[in-house]
Amino acid sequence: MESFDPPFQEFYKKLFDNEVNIKNDMNVLDVVEERELPLIDLSRLNIEQEKEKCKREIAKASKEWGFFQVINHGISSQVLEKMRYEQVKVFKRPFVDKANGHPDLNFSAGSYRWGTPSANCLRQIAWSEAFHVPLADISTPSDRSTLSTTIKQLALKISDLAQKLSEILAEQLVGHKSDLFKEKCSPTTCYLRMNRYPVCPISPQVFGLMPHTDSDFLTILYQDQIGGLQLVKDGKWIAVKPNPKALIINIGDLFQAWSNDVYKSVEHRVVTNKHVERFSTAYFFCPSYETMIQSCIENSVYRRFSFGEFKQHVQDDVNMLGCKIGLPRAMEDKKEISGRTSCKRSGEEDEHS
């Protein structure tokens, strides 16, 4: 029977065989405290006396945490459970089918990703596999596969949620509604990423996903109950306690730039598990590549830049330096970039939990 797991141990055999590497990487993960993210009940937006307070709580969490979770978000458990069912099915296909782009999957070339090809030590390995799907890929009427239909159903609902949250955050910042997100962020400019984190025999020596920030406006995450997502809060790593009824929202780099650092794009990672696999689905709320990102506040610390330019800088930095630099590339003072002496390595352009 063909294996559906990526060949991590064969591909990284030299790293596993190198006892020095293993000893050096033993402490890649410290024990961290588990905490609950700020929880926001979005049904309060429909209650006149609660609406404004709810909006302020969304903005407060985005400023202080860069992460929060929402319940009563308008996406039914049936849609989410169907997405998870189809996701598990596609990941249980033989690895060779996933890697070679089986016709039934009907995704564009390069959608399937696993591991970190450029890793030269254990801590640079991403012990995970993913389908990073441009939603334009599944927008054609001719694509009627069950997986594509399910992705379309989820994307339609989650896009509405992303628009609603973005408009609230903009309104809380500038005092009035902004048309930026409706005009520039459509379902065809956004992405959906299905993640699987296989059982890892050398956990916790490697990451499921290495520390990173997201290169979008917002990320909306649906995860299972295994746990593994961690983020930086007050200068230290904390583990996010899973909530079966909630979706996780996090601020991306574009929102931090647009808000002039008011809302925070926070570093986060995924840790591996020795005993059980983990699944998650992330929706990335992105504009078109031509969209210009400019702070809504005067005297911005960031210069004006296009989303396409930002993405290209991220890809170039990963290829040349082995890491994402991100927002410092958009700072007015170029010394902020040249003075940067270290960064965490990343094996691909986008990493999402």
Side-chain angles (χ1 to χ4, degrees):
M1 182 178 178
E2 294 180 273
S3 173
F4 53 79
D5 279 339
F8 292 107
Q9 290 175 295
E10 295 89 341
F11 191 82
Y12 299 114
K13 187 176 188 301
K14 289 183 179 179
L15 299 184
F16 290 120
D17 291 345
N18 188 337
E19 292 186 9
V20 174
N21 239 322
I22 293 177
K23 288 176 182 177
N24 288 341
D25 287 344
M26 280 298 291
N27 295 321
V28 64
L29 295 178
D30 297 321
V31 176
V32 300
E33 176 188 4
E34 185 179 63
R35 294 176 62 179
E36 292 188 5
L37 294 175
L39 179 65
I40 298 172
D41 183 350
L42 295 185
S43 67
R44 294 163 58 210
L45 293 172
N46 300 318
I47 303 172
E48 193 60 36
Q49 58 267 35
E50 289 286 326
K51 180 168 62 175
E52 294 306 317
K53 184 180 178 182
C54 182
K55 290 179 179 180
R56 289 194 297 271
E57 289 176 6
I58 291 170
K60 184 174 187 286
S62 299
K63 295 173 185 177
E64 297 179 358
W65 284 75
F67 272 78
F68 57 95
Q69 53 187 342
V70 295
I71 57 173
N72 293 318
H73 40 66
I75 304 172
S76 71
S77 58
Q78 290 86 353
V79 170
L80 293 171
E81 288 166 6
K82 179 64 174 175
M83 182 69 241
R84 181 55 37 81
Y85 174 78
E86 292 297 329
Q87 178 178 353
V88 171
K89 272 204 317 183
V90 74
F91 278 120
K92 297 303 181 180
R93 284 176 173 266
F95 170 73
V96 66
D97 284 358
K98 294 179 288 188
N100 295 333
H102 193 281
D104 288 352
L105 298 178
N106 204 29
F107 298 143
S108 58
S111 294
Y112 178 70
R113 306 169 180 184
W114 68 278
T116 310
S118 59
N120 54 40
C121 67
L122 292 182
R123 72 181 61 211
Q124 293 172 4
I125 297 174
W127 197 278
S128 57
E129 60 177 335
F131 285 97
H132 191 79
V133 183
L135 291 178
D137 279 7
I138 53 91
S139 296
T140 57
S142 59
D143 187 359
R144 298 180 181 177
S145 68
T146 307
L147 176 59
S148 291
T149 300
T150 303
I151 291 176
K152 288 177 188 176
Q153 290 174 345
L154 177 62
L156 183 65
K157 294 288 187 181
I158 213 164
S159 175
D160 290 343
L161 176 60
Q163 287 283 352
K164 177 189 294 185
L165 293 172
S166 297
E167 289 170 8
I168 288 171
L169 287 168
E171 183 181 353
Q172 290 296 301
L173 192 64
V174 299
H176 57 80
K177 292 184 178 180
S178 171
D179 294 328
L180 170 67
F181 307 103
K182 283 186 177 179
E183 292 176 356
K184 303 299 184 182
C185 301
S186 72
T188 57
T189 64
C190 298
Y191 297 80
L192 186 135
R193 180 171 173 130
M194 299 178 288
N195 300 303
R196 175 178 174 258
Y197 302 90
V199 170
C200 179
I202 61 166
S203 175
Q205 296 169 38
V206 298
F207 293 110
L209 279 182
M210 289 158 38
H212 64 281
T213 58
D214 292 352
S215 303
D216 58 359
F217 276 116
L218 287 176
T219 303
I220 300 179
L221 181 74
Y222 170 53
Q223 63 169 354
D224 61 22
Q225 300 313 299
I226 301 305
L229 175 62
Q230 299 183 349
L231 60 92
V232 175
K233 172 63 174 162
D234 299 327
K236 63 181 182 180
W237 287 100
I238 65 166
V240 174
K241 185 176 182 179
N243 182 332
K245 297 181 179 180
L247 296 176
I248 292 176
I249 317 296
N250 69 276
I251 300 296
D253 295 339
L254 300 188
F255 232 135
Q256 177 167 325
W258 188 81
S259 70
N260 203 33
D261 287 348
V262 174
Y263 300 137
K264 307 300 184 186
S265 180
V266 172
E267 195 172 32
H268 51 287
R269 67 190 183 189
V270 177
V271 298
T272 50
N273 192 301
K274 275 187 177 180
H275 306 293
V276 63
E277 63 187 352
R278 173 182 183 262
F279 293 91
S280 69
T281 305
Y283 177 89
F284 310 133
F285 190 54
C286 301
S288 64
Y289 273 37
E290 297 76 23
T291 298
M292 300 304 297
I293 307 300
Q294 184 172 9
S295 173
C296 62
I297 299 172
E298 292 184 5
N299 301 318
S300 173
V301 298
Y302 303 104
R303 63 174 175 80
R304 189 168 180 260
F305 61 92
S306 73
F307 180 48
E309 174 192 358
F310 183 75
K311 293 278 282 186
Q312 189 61 56
H313 277 310
V314 170
Q315 186 64 68
D316 291 346
D317 287 336
V318 167
N319 291 337
M320 294 176 62
L321 307 175
C323 64
K324 170 186 172 179
I325 290 179
L327 283 180
R329 285 283 185 215
M331 285 184 172
E332 293 286 359
D333 184 358
K334 299 300 190 294
K335 292 180 182 178
E336 292 286 344
I337 300 172
S338 60
R340 190 179 176 104
T341 57
S342 65
C343 55
K344 295 179 175 64
R345 293 182 59 86
S346 172
E348 58 189 43
E349 176 185 351
D350 291 290
E351 291 184 330
H352 297 277
S353 43

